[in-house]
């Protein structure tokens, strides 16, 4: 629940239980939350791993899809606990690990949060610097303030923001995907099913799977306001489809870019790939 404070909506419940009377929202809202949550620069970078290790496009694409499918399965099951328990994921860990034992889980989550936010903000600042010459330090601060503001304002605003971002991202990814399909020719080696390499395949598979699993430590935070009568299967599938489609689709952008320009760094490869299929498209795609 949120309350009016200083003209804005401020999250009131934080890590508290959400009473039944305050439950609201629709279960399909989980789809854009997790589609947008997975469709960003760090996800693109995850899709580069296998090609960077010498894998070809077709097998690395298969590894991305299979790894995402597996990792998202476990992550989506945690999302089903939100409507049933009305508690954040980390608080739910206390019955399994005990009040003190849960501190270990909290420590792992804290490190993951710090690393995830640092990695994303650095990527965003470097990308804007590369595209527009923006200074990196002010850009980092701006992104940090935007992130904190969304967190403070809370659950409803996060859902609304992710929903509108999802629409924009779908258009951008569709344009890129169709353009790649129609205008790009890959070498025979990149498409050869006979060129299977175990190490790159497994590295890409587990990179994709572990990336998706990493959402598990807070996935139900975004479903805990839903009504108690939301079914387990409904919350599972809306979460699964959002995260799987958003994650695997975005990783494949990185895989394709790396396959087209294997000698370039991650950001440069994505820029070059976007401009190769549609001249000037790199700026709106990365933005």
């Amino acid at each position: 629940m949120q309350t009016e404070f200083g003209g804005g909506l401020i999250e009131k419940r934080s890590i508290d239980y959400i009473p039944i009377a305050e439950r609201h929202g629709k279960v399909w809202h989980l789809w854009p939350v997790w589609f947008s949550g997975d469709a960003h620069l760090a996800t693109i970078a995850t899709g580069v791993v296998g090609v960077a290790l010498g894998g070809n496009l077709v097998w690395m694409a298969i590894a991305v899809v299979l790894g995402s499918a597996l990792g998202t399965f476990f992550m989506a099951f945690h999302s089903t606990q939100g409507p049933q328990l009305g508690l954040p994921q980390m608080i739910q860990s206390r019955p399994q690990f005990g009040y003190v034992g849960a501190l270990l889980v909290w420590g792992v989550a804290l490190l993951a949060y710090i690393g995830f936010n640092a990695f994303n903000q650095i990527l965003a600042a470097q990308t804007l610097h590369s595209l527009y010459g923006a200074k990196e330090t002010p850009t980092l601060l701006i992104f940090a303030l935007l992130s904190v503001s969304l967190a403070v304002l809370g659950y409803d605003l996060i859902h609304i923001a992710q929903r509108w971002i999802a629409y924009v991202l779908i258009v951008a990814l569709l344009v890129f995907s169709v353009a790649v399909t129609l205008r790009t020719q890959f070498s025979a080696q990149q498409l050869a099913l006979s060129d299977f390499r175990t190490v790159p395949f497994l590295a890409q598979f587990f990179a994709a799977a572990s990336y998706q699993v990493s959402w598990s430590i807070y996935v139900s935070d975004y479903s805990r306001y839903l009504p108690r009568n939301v079914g387990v299967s409904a919350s599972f599938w809306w979460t699964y489809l959002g995260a799987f489609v958003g994650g695997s689709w975005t990783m494949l952008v990185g895989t394709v870019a790396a396959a087209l320009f294997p000698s370039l760094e991650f950001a440069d490869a994505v820029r070059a790939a976007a401009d190769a299929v549609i001249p000037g498209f790199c700026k709106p795609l990365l933005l």
Side-chain angles (χ1 to χ4, degrees):
M1 186 64 178
Q2 295 155 348
T3 185
E4 293 289 340
F5 180 78
L9 291 173
I10 304 298
E11 182 71 38
K12 184 174 74 173
R13 290 296 175 187
S14 183
I15 63 172
D16 298 334
Y17 169 75
I18 309 302
I20 300 297
E22 296 179 10
R23 304 293 188 89
H24 62 282
K26 298 178 180 179
V27 67
W28 72 264
H29 292 168
L30 294 173
W31 193 94
V33 163
W34 291 110
F35 180 90
S36 299
D38 252 334
H40 53 77
L41 293 172
T43 315
I44 296 178
T46 305
V48 174
V49 172
V51 175
L53 292 174
N56 70 357
L57 173 63
V58 66
W59 279 112
M60 296 310 100
I62 293 171
V64 163
V65 172
L66 293 180
S68 295
L70 178 65
T72 309
F73 178 82
F74 297 103
M75 167 265 201
F77 261 124
H78 284 290
S79 181
T80 65
Q81 296 170 322
Q84 309 303 315
L85 301 177
L87 289 169
Q89 198 74 55
M90 294 304 298
I91 303 301
Q92 295 176 28
S93 66
R94 290 179 178 175
Q96 289 91 358
F97 296 94
Y99 190 85
V100 176
L103 291 175
L104 175 62
V105 182
W106 175 84
V108 173
L110 180 62
L111 290 175
Y113 293 151
I114 293 172
F116 187 79
N117 280 281
F119 185 51
N120 271 305
Q121 293 195 38
I122 290 170
L123 277 178
Q126 290 178 344
T127 301
L128 288 181
H129 175 74
S130 175
L131 293 176
Y132 302 102
K135 294 183 178 180
E136 292 189 16
T137 300
T139 304
L140 284 169
L141 291 174
I142 290 170
F143 273 97
L145 288 172
L146 286 172
S147 301
V148 171
S149 298
L150 273 174
V152 170
L153 295 176
Y155 179 94
D156 285 342
L157 185 60
I158 291 172
H159 271 256
I160 293 170
Q162 295 288 76
R163 205 171 306 145
W164 284 103
I165 290 170
Y167 302 147
V168 176
L169 288 169
I170 288 170
V171 172
L173 290 170
L174 272 175
V175 170
F176 179 81
S177 301
V178 172
V180 166
T181 303
L182 297 178
R183 305 186 62 178
T184 303
Q185 290 187 341
F186 294 96
S187 66
Q189 181 182 3
Q190 292 290 351
L191 301 177
L193 286 171
S194 59
D195 189 21
F196 176 80
R197 302 184 185 185
T198 304
V199 172
F201 181 87
L202 291 178
Q204 185 61 76
F205 175 85
F206 285 113
S210 59
Y211 186 85
Q212 296 297 83
V213 169
S214 68
W215 293 110
S216 298
I217 54 178
Y218 49 89
V219 60
S220 72
D221 293 23
Y222 302 94
S223 61
R224 66 193 180 110
Y225 275 90
L226 290 174
R228 185 79 179 270
N229 62 0
V230 167
V232 169
S233 61
S235 55
F236 172 85
W237 283 112
W238 282 114
T239 301
Y240 185 93
L241 292 174
F244 172 71
V245 173
S248 57
W249 196 358
T250 309
M251 287 181 204
L252 288 173
V253 172
T255 306
V256 167
L260 285 173
F261 300 96
S263 62
L264 296 180
E265 295 293 333
F266 150 70
D268 293 332
V270 176
R271 289 181 62 186
D275 280 340
V277 295
I278 302 176
F281 186 55
C282 76
K283 289 187 176 182
L285 177 68
L286 289 173
L287 186 61

